[in-house]
């Protein structure tokens, strides 16, 4: 499957989320959405990323932008992660890996020569009509949330 690019329609999804209930892309139509895909709850880099986005959650909200973190972890894991780090972002559980596959972020990775399948840290900015506006691949966490917020504000005022 070819990777998703700006201009492509964002694949629809509905996933269980932290705190109960579910979250879907169609329910957010009419406002920009940031989806940040991350490998695993409560690991060092993923925690820094989630805290960074969480720290800017009010700025995203005031810009009218929805913010969702997605990983293959369970809702129970997301609940613990959110509570432990006082996260203010929605965390969606993709245990079946349907969404990470639809967005092309489930990929072969390598660590110390060992190959395995996992989530490639990637962020998508989706416009109000459900079209991908920007893709950040193989994300480096330092400064990333700020960069995404700046792009989202430009899209929103566009």
């Amino acid at each position: 499957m070819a990777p998703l690019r700006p201009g492509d329609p964002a694949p629809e999804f509905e996933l269980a989320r932290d705190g109960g209930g579910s979250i879907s892309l169609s329910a957010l139509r009419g406002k920009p959405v940031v989806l940040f895909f991350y490998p695993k709850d409560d690991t060092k880099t993923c925690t820094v990323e989630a805290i960074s986005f969480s720290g800017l959650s009010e700025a995203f909200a005031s810009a009218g932008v929805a913010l969702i973190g997605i990983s293959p972890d369970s809702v129970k894991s997301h609940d613990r992660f959110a509570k432990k780090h006082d996260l203010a972002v929605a965390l969606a559980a993709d245990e079946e890996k349907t969404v990470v596959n639809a967005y092309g972020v489930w990929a072969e990775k390598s660590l110390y020569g060992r190959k395995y399948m996992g989530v490639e840290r990637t962020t998508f900015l989706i416009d109000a009509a459900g079209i991908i506006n920007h893709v950040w691949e193989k994300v480096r966490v330092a400064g990333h949330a700020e960069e995404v917020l700046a792009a989202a504000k430009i899209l929103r005022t566009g």
Side-chain angles (χ1 to χ4, degrees):
M1 177 175 146
L4 293 172
R5 295 283 171 236
D8 291 341
E12 178 52 48
F13 65 85
E14 182 170 351
L15 293 171
R17 63 160 292 179
D18 65 311
S22 65
I23 193 162
S24 69
L25 192 58
S26 62
L28 298 168
R29 192 79 73 235
K31 69 160 72 175
V33 177
V34 170
L35 299 180
F36 67 97
F37 289 89
Y38 65 97
K40 186 144 182 64
D41 287 345
D42 221 11
T43 55
K44 184 180 179 183
T45 305
C46 295
T47 300
V48 170
E49 181 178 30
I51 289 171
S52 296
F53 275 114
S54 195
L56 294 173
S57 64
E58 287 183 21
F60 278 99
S62 69
V65 179
L67 187 56
I68 305 167
I70 300 177
S71 83
D73 294 301
S74 68
V75 169
K76 189 175 180 178
S77 175
H78 283 343
D79 284 338
R80 281 192 306 266
F81 183 43
K83 184 177 181 181
K84 180 177 179 181
H85 299 286
D86 198 26
L87 301 178
V89 296
L91 299 176
D94 187 18
E95 292 183 86
E96 303 298 317
K97 300 174 186 71
T98 53
V99 179
V100 294
N101 277 303
Y103 279 80
V105 300
W106 187 251
E108 185 175 79
K109 299 170 82 175
S110 181
L111 183 65
Y112 304 117
R114 184 179 70 88
K115 293 191 182 308
Y116 64 98
M117 295 300 290
V119 172
E120 193 71 61
R121 190 179 313 280
T122 308
T123 301
F124 293 85
L125 175 58
I126 301 165
D127 72 16
I131 304 299
I132 295 170
N133 176 269
H134 198 105
V135 181
W136 290 265
E137 298 175 297
K138 298 185 181 180
V139 168
R140 298 286 176 241
V141 172
H144 178 61
E146 293 81 2
E147 182 182 348
V148 174
L149 177 60
K153 284 180 175 179
I154 291 168
L155 173 63
R156 187 68 177 164
T157 59

